[in-house]
Amino acid sequence: MGTTAHIEPSVLRWARESAGYDLDEAARKARLPREKLAAAENGEALLTLRQAEDAARAFKRPLASLFLSKPPLEETVAHQFRRLPDAPEPPWPPEMHLLARSITERQRAAAHLLDELEIESPWPDLEVRFSSDPDVFAEWTRALLQVSLEEQKSWRDRAGYRPLGRWREAIEDLGVLVMQDGSMAVEVMRGFAALHPVAPGIVLNTKDDPRARSFTLLHELGHLLLLRAKARGLDDLEKWCERFAASVLMPGAPFSTEFSRFRAEAVSLLDAVDEVALSFGVTPAAATTRARTLKLAPGGDLDAVSRAIRARATGARKGGGDHYGNVVARLGRGYARLVFSALDADAVTSAGASALLGTKVDGFPKLRKRLGDQTDES
């Protein structure tokens, strides 16, 4: 029998529950008999040191945390989730718990590095000129992000990576960490906003279409700006943010003009929708919804377009890209650049930077090079 690990039962239970696992799933992940884990949580048995290591690995906790005298008080971070229709409601799956926790830890690390480097994040001083009209607020937001219509229309990319990268950079300039993750299906999570006074975050699902991710990115920015402005009295927050995101990406008057032009030139309404979607860097489904909102075509005709779009859908997108591109997407360019700035200023050691980036030191040159790329390929 191995060395005994004297773990406080309540701490072991906290580690499991904070990861979102029930006993059966936790035992499977930790490669422990369910009865042994249950007995350890009830104070009726002790794990071996090797079993404790397996449990810590399964629950994504440092081994040392299992030897605390009592469960720690962790700050609760409110997350605003944007889900597809019929997506499962809480309780969250374990992957969601682990992702939310890792994002919170990354935000804390970013705030610490900003303090160490004496860099002022623009977010805390951002003055939000709120309007309850999402179209008016969207116009103000475009000015804040300094994205002109001419610039946006130059981002033409059928895959949608270029618009996503440009919107992401503009939002990162506000002090928002934009991160991506592919651990869950799109049907479970498209994205969420993570609150923080200095380093707010937005997380996107890499399994989603890049053009849809741009929409989610603006939707979640809407949540953050509303919270920053302490806005009150909005009846349906999700619908408001949907309208806001659509208006930022597809401003009413320019979109109507472009739609009418393409409709006059195109062979079919579907072709016109495809062209205007490419022009504004959105999905054809989003362009169809915007055309419906602005009453640019008969509802029945747009219904037929929606059916055609659904019929040609190829299903969920799987993550791709090179390894370092995926690392940049996961961490967010703003966060990765901040870590390298701290490393260059000797505010963190190479080992510390490696831990913060989740990358070996000998991979730093390739990661730095990847940070210089302008497109988002994952």
Side-chain angles (χ1 to χ4, degrees):
M1 183 175 178
T3 304
T4 301
H6 292 273
I7 297 174
E8 165 63 34
S10 63
V11 172
L12 183 61
R13 187 179 303 109
W14 156 79
R16 172 179 64 80
E17 291 178 346
S18 65
Y21 293 126
D22 60 23
L23 272 170
D24 292 323
E25 181 71 1
R28 187 180 69 79
K29 290 282 186 180
R31 297 179 296 181
L32 284 169
R34 182 189 187 282
E35 295 74 16
K36 181 64 178 288
L37 181 58
E41 286 191 4
N42 292 329
E44 299 168 355
L46 291 174
L47 301 180
T48 65
L49 184 57
R50 175 60 62 84
Q51 289 172 333
E53 290 173 345
D54 289 341
R57 189 177 303 110
F59 304 153
K60 299 293 190 296
R61 294 285 183 182
L63 177 60
S65 69
L66 296 186
F67 290 90
L68 296 171
S69 60
K70 61 182 179 179
L73 294 176
E74 292 189 310
E75 179 184 2
T76 299
V77 178
H79 297 285
Q80 297 284 345
F81 287 92
R82 176 172 182 259
R83 298 173 179 274
L84 289 172
D86 302 321
E89 293 297 322
W92 298 346
E95 294 83 1
M96 192 82 83
H97 283 271
L98 296 174
L99 174 60
R101 195 169 75 208
S102 69
I103 295 304
T104 300
E105 291 169 353
R106 201 170 299 153
Q107 290 174 288
R108 290 172 180 163
H112 174 72
L113 292 176
L114 288 169
D115 186 57
E116 287 290 310
L117 294 171
E118 298 183 348
I119 296 175
E120 294 290 334
S121 169
W123 184 259
D125 296 324
L126 181 66
E127 294 185 7
V128 180
R129 289 184 294 184
F130 172 70
S131 170
S132 59
D133 184 332
D135 295 324
V136 173
F137 195 50
E139 184 178 359
W140 175 85
T141 300
R142 284 186 68 100
L144 174 70
L145 296 174
Q146 300 181 35
V147 174
S148 68
L149 187 64
E150 292 72 19
E151 181 184 7
Q152 181 184 356
K153 290 171 70 175
S154 74
W155 300 339
R156 289 174 68 90
D157 174 13
R158 291 192 182 278
Y161 288 110
R162 194 176 183 194
L164 173 61
R166 293 298 190 269
W167 284 115
R168 184 204 63 231
E169 288 175 354
I171 291 172
E172 285 176 335
D173 286 343
L174 301 181
V176 178
L177 302 178
V178 180
M179 300 158 280
Q180 301 191 69
D181 177 81
S183 63
M184 284 166 279
V186 176
E187 289 76 16
V188 176
M189 186 276 291
R190 297 194 84 161
F192 64 88
L195 308 184
H196 191 282
V198 175
I202 294 174
V203 182
L204 307 174
N205 192 332
T206 58
K207 292 180 178 177
D208 208 355
D209 184 301
R211 299 165 297 175
R213 276 182 258 169
S214 292
F215 197 99
T216 299
L217 178 60
L218 271 300
H219 176 107
E220 299 304 337
L221 177 64
H223 278 300
L224 291 178
L225 290 174
L226 289 177
L227 291 165
R228 187 74 183 82
K230 298 180 180 179
R232 300 287 187 273
L234 297 176
D235 293 333
D236 190 325
L237 197 58
E238 288 301 303
K239 285 186 178 179
W240 193 97
C241 286
E242 291 287 296
R243 177 69 178 268
F244 165 79
S247 191
V248 172
L249 290 165
M250 299 169 279
F255 183 87
S256 298
T257 299
E258 286 285 278
F259 185 90
S260 298
R261 178 170 70 85
F262 286 127
R263 193 179 181 193
E265 298 172 354
V267 174
S268 67
L269 182 56
L270 177 59
D271 290 335
V273 167
D274 284 339
E275 285 301 314
V276 78
L278 176 62
S279 185
F280 285 87
V282 299
T283 63
T288 303
T289 299
R290 188 63 168 155
R292 189 188 306 278
T293 301
L294 297 172
K295 300 179 180 179
L296 302 180
D301 293 349
L302 291 173
D303 288 340
V305 167
S306 294
R307 288 193 295 272
I309 292 170
R310 287 194 296 270
R312 72 186 184 188
T314 57
R317 178 185 178 276
K318 296 183 179 179
D322 65 276
H323 169 71
Y324 292 102
N326 291 336
V327 171
V328 169
R330 175 175 57 82
L331 297 173
R333 290 178 186 272
Y335 176 81
R337 287 170 177 158
L338 182 59
V339 174
F340 278 129
S341 294
L343 177 62
D344 295 340
D346 294 324
V348 296
T349 64
S350 294
S354 176
L356 290 170
L357 295 169
T359 301
K360 293 181 179 178
V361 174
D362 60 9
F364 284 2
K366 291 182 178 179
L367 186 55
R368 285 181 187 266
K369 182 178 183 301
R370 196 65 180 80
L371 276 170
D373 294 343
Q374 295 301 307
T375 56
D376 198 322
E377 298 178 355
S378 58

